[in-house]
Amino acid sequence: MKETKPRKRRRTHQLPPPLPPGSRTIGQLVAETIRFYGKHFWRSLALGVGPAAVTVAGYYTGFHPWLAAVVVGWILLASASYVGACVLVLGGQPSREILVRALLAACLASLPILAGFLWLAPLGLAVPAIVSERIPLRRALRRGLELARADYVHALGSLATLLLVVFLTQVLLTALLHGASKQSVHISAFLASLVLQPILFLGAALLYDDQAARARVKSGSRAERSLDADVPDAVDPDGPGSAHAAVESRPAARGQP
């Protein structure tokens, strides 16, 4: 009988561990959002029910005066989903007062999408700040501005990337579902929104960890600079003269020995 050689096991290439918050790039933030979505699929999927229903209502309404009511409904339901994503990502059991406060901040954060995109980052970061730090609304708005200033390019770029990924993928998935399964446009749009819009809320909640870590590093570096500000640097410690020149007595005045 022929001897069978033992089969060599194939080496599995393991992915490198993800970078900690504060060191992640925009692409890694999106990847961590999708990974978190997969680990908490059903609870994350529930975040998209309300916004998806309002999206379908917008398809039915079209350009009509009722479209304003649809936009208001989307702001309210999307804000509630954002608060739910912050609770899911950051953990804890916030009180009803904290949830109401966070919902109000989320509604304020939704307005820059209509008026101006640049204020989305500082206002949006106020919502997870309320959920995580249990601070009042006015202080949370200042905290959101502080977190955004820690790395504004990363904060705004991450939110813009999440919006583009969700919007473009949602349009493509709607077209694929409508063409392949022969479903109506409204059902296809609802399914695409249901699956994809939670990525936006979860990614914005994960962004809080990134900005908080960057803010801590920035404040720590400022504190180190302030501690070292009063210590004179030694230009040439081995040169002539006393090494404690700063504490030497003043020269005697004229006329004194």
Side-chain angles (χ1 to χ4, degrees):
M1 298 178 62
K2 295 182 179 180
E3 295 181 356
T4 57
K5 296 181 179 181
R7 294 182 180 180
K8 296 182 179 180
R9 294 182 179 180
R10 295 181 179 179
R11 295 180 180 179
T12 57
H13 298 282
Q14 295 181 355
L15 295 176
L19 293 175
S23 303
R24 291 186 294 217
T25 62
I26 295 177
Q28 289 168 337
L29 175 66
V30 175
E32 286 301 310
T33 302
I34 298 174
R35 181 181 300 178
F36 185 90
Y37 190 1
K39 289 183 179 179
H40 307 83
F41 178 73
W42 292 109
R43 286 186 291 177
S44 300
L45 187 66
L47 300 174
V49 175
V54 178
T55 301
V56 175
Y59 276 100
Y60 277 108
T61 303
F63 293 99
H64 193 270
W66 281 104
L67 184 61
V70 173
V71 173
V72 173
W74 186 89
I75 290 176
L76 291 174
L77 293 175
S79 299
S81 296
Y82 184 25
V83 174
C86 292
V87 174
L88 183 60
V89 170
L90 302 175
Q93 295 180 352
S95 62
R96 183 179 299 178
E97 180 184 358
I98 295 296
L99 293 177
V100 172
R101 196 183 302 166
L103 179 62
L104 181 58
C107 292
L108 293 176
S110 301
L111 296 178
I113 300 179
L114 307 176
F117 188 74
L118 295 179
W119 281 98
L120 179 60
L123 291 180
L125 289 169
V127 181
I130 292 176
V131 175
S132 177
E133 303 175 20
R134 309 290 199 271
I135 55 179
L137 177 60
R138 185 176 298 180
R139 185 179 170 189
L141 295 176
R142 293 196 300 266
R143 176 63 172 161
L145 180 60
E146 176 187 350
L147 293 174
R149 289 173 60 186
D151 193 345
Y152 184 75
V153 174
H154 177 77
L156 188 63
S158 298
L159 292 175
T161 303
L162 289 168
L163 282 171
L164 286 175
V165 167
V166 170
F167 175 75
L168 295 177
T169 312
Q170 183 174 323
V171 172
L172 179 61
L173 184 58
T174 301
L176 289 175
L177 290 174
H178 177 62
S181 60
K182 304 300 181 181
Q183 297 288 342
S184 65
V185 178
H186 306 97
I187 296 178
S188 301
F190 174 79
L191 294 176
S193 301
L194 175 65
V195 173
L196 293 172
Q197 289 200 23
I199 296 176
L200 175 62
F201 307 130
L202 295 173
L206 285 171
L207 179 63
Y208 168 79
D209 289 334
D210 285 5
Q211 296 301 113
R214 283 173 166 83
R216 286 193 296 269
V217 171
K218 193 173 182 180
S219 61
S221 61
R222 282 202 302 265
E224 290 176 359
R225 287 197 300 268
S226 64
L227 289 175
D228 296 337
D230 298 331
V231 180
D233 294 332
V235 178
D236 189 6
D238 297 329
S242 173
H244 302 285
V247 297
E248 286 182 351
S249 61
R250 295 180 180 178
R254 291 182 181 179
Q256 295 181 0

